[in-house]
Amino acid sequence: MIEIDSSFVTEPRATYARLREQGPVHRATAPDGTSIWLVTRYADVRAALADPRLSLDKKNSAGGYRGFSLPPALDANLLNMDAPEHTRLRRIIGKAFAPRRIEPLRPRVQQLADALLDDLTEREADLMPAYCGPLPIAVICELLGVGEADRPDFRSWTDHLLAPETPDQARNALGSLHGYLLDLIAAKRANPGADFLSTLVSLRDEEDRLSEDELTSAAFLVLFAGYENTVNVLGNSLAALLTNPAALARARQGITSSTVDELLRFDPPPQLAIRRFPLADVEIGGVTIPAGETVLLSLVSAHHDPDRYADPEHLDLDRADNPHLAFGHGPHYCLGAALARMEAEIGLNTLLSRFPDLALAVPEQELHWRNSFRNRGLRTLPVTLR
């Protein structure tokens, strides 16, 4: 039995390398005491991501799973559903993420990035609160149609939910956010605009194919997943570039969608895919996992599997063969992948071109990562700008 400890936070790639050598699947104990099965090799992880025998619906847990607890009005989302409910809901929500709706956001994302960097007038800055955090929340607010006056509260609630100092702070933030989303949906229903949320409201009301809880949960999922993951895409990518001089020099020539893919492969914010529960006893990597047990698929381990990637510890921004799994695989592939790539591409290019001498202000060893083995992200990113 493996016990998940601080090494999964401080040195995840080295820790998973040892586990891959020992075997493809491991019985483990999570920090909260939950018993899990941890899958570490690329081929097994990729196959499991698309395996219909592995359910995302928490009702198929045999017990003992302790996940993030949400009220029913926020829990009816794609991360908790299997087909056919998942298929139906994804088809509806997917319309709001169609390229014709996402691509027109590009000029506005560029404006938001430029405005944030205009405010960086000192020689040093902490990029997490100054840039990596504000840019994604501003984009999400644009997507949901949140007014300028409400955005400071919106960001505060989100930060308290993702990194609470106390359990009460998280509960209060969740309650405030839930109430705000209900009010926002009512406002969009009365006065619709061209935003994502107005589109979902029209699909709910005109075609009556979304329940009210599904509508609220969809808005919450866009906020929660879109904010946290993109904050960490920017932070992790910058940390990787600023500690790899050759890659940084290459990045200054221009970051493209494929460049972002390599950064996502190298240090993905979601270290693990969303938990899954076998509907019946299932074999993975030669190991039989009983029905109802909790299965966690390690994306970071899969991304550094030498059986799939040549020289996986090398950050190669020109890597051509790169079917990474940071956005998932199969029917649960991330609907917001195109938006996340756009934000990362614009956010990184704008920063690196604006500050050609950008460098870490502390040694790499002094970077502090959030204490989570599930999601990897920096607490701070102190840099010198000029």
Side-chain angles (χ1 to χ4, degrees), residues 240-241 244-251 253-267 303-304 309-324:
L241 293 172
N244 287 271
L248 179 60
R250 171 62 184 82
Q253 299 173 23
I255 288 176
T256 64
S257 180
S258 63
T259 312
V260 172
D261 283 337
E262 172 64 357
L263 291 164
L264 286 167
R265 180 202 69 83
F266 188 74
D267 200 0
H303 288 178
H304 290 265
Y309 288 100
D311 197 8
E313 297 307 313
H314 174 52
L315 178 59
D316 180 4
L317 298 188
D318 293 310
R319 191 182 294 272
D321 182 19
N322 190 4
H324 70 80

Side-chain angles (χ1 to χ4, degrees), residues 368-379:
H368 297 295
W369 298 89
R370 295 193 180 278
N371 187 29
S372 171
F373 77 100
R374 298 174 184 271
N375 298 293
R376 183 165 167 83
L378 286 163
R379 294 181 180 273

Side-chain angles (χ1 to χ4, degrees), residues 71-285:
L74 299 180
D75 214 25
N77 63 64
L78 293 171
L79 299 185
N80 296 318
M81 291 182 177
D82 302 324
E85 291 83 1
H86 175 271
T87 307
R88 173 185 62 84
L89 192 59
R90 183 183 174 92
R91 185 181 300 117
I92 298 169
I93 297 174
K95 294 179 180 180
F97 279 100
R100 65 183 177 85
R101 294 188 181 275
I102 295 302
E103 190 58 29
L105 285 173
R106 184 177 290 274
R108 182 58 178 150
V109 175
Q110 184 65 64
Q111 290 175 355
L112 293 169
D114 287 332
L116 287 169
L117 295 183
D118 287 342
D119 291 337
L120 297 183
T121 58
E122 302 297 325
R123 184 177 183 275
E124 295 188 0
D126 181 352
L127 289 180
M128 296 310 291
Y131 187 66
C132 298
L135 181 58
I137 199 65
V139 174
I140 291 297
C141 286
E142 294 278 331
L143 197 65
L144 294 179
V146 175
E148 292 280 353
D150 294 334
R151 294 183 184 187
D153 282 341
F154 206 66
R155 184 180 175 198
S156 175
W157 296 328
T158 306
D159 286 341
H160 289 163
L161 187 59
L162 294 174
E165 296 179 3
T166 66
D168 282 344
Q169 190 180 64
R171 281 191 292 270
N172 291 338
L174 185 60
S176 297
L177 190 55
H178 181 200
Y180 181 83
L181 287 175
L182 291 177
D183 291 342
L184 186 62
I185 288 170
K188 298 301 177 184
R189 184 168 279 136
N191 187 23
D195 54 86
F196 169 88
L197 193 53
S198 293
T199 300
L200 284 187
V201 169
S202 69
L203 290 171
R204 156 75 177 121
D205 293 347
E206 295 175 15
E207 301 180 37
D208 198 25
R209 292 189 296 165
L210 282 174
S211 72
E212 199 68 17
D213 282 354
E214 288 172 344
L215 173 61
T216 310
S217 295
F220 178 77
L221 182 60
V222 168
L223 165 68
F224 192 78
Y227 177 55
E228 181 185 29
N229 285 332
T230 309
V231 169
N232 294 331
V233 167
L234 292 170
N236 293 10
S237 296
L238 287 167
L241 293 172
L242 295 174
T243 54
N244 287 271
L248 179 60
R250 171 62 184 82
R252 291 194 184 283
Q253 299 173 23
I255 288 176
T256 64
S257 180
S258 63
T259 312
V260 172
D261 283 337
E262 172 64 357
L263 291 164
L264 286 167
R265 180 202 69 83
F266 188 74
D267 200 0
Q271 300 278 280
L272 301 162
I274 190 74
R275 73 287 173 277
R276 282 159 164 79
F277 312 106
L279 296 173
D281 293 359
V282 63
E283 182 178 307
I284 300 178

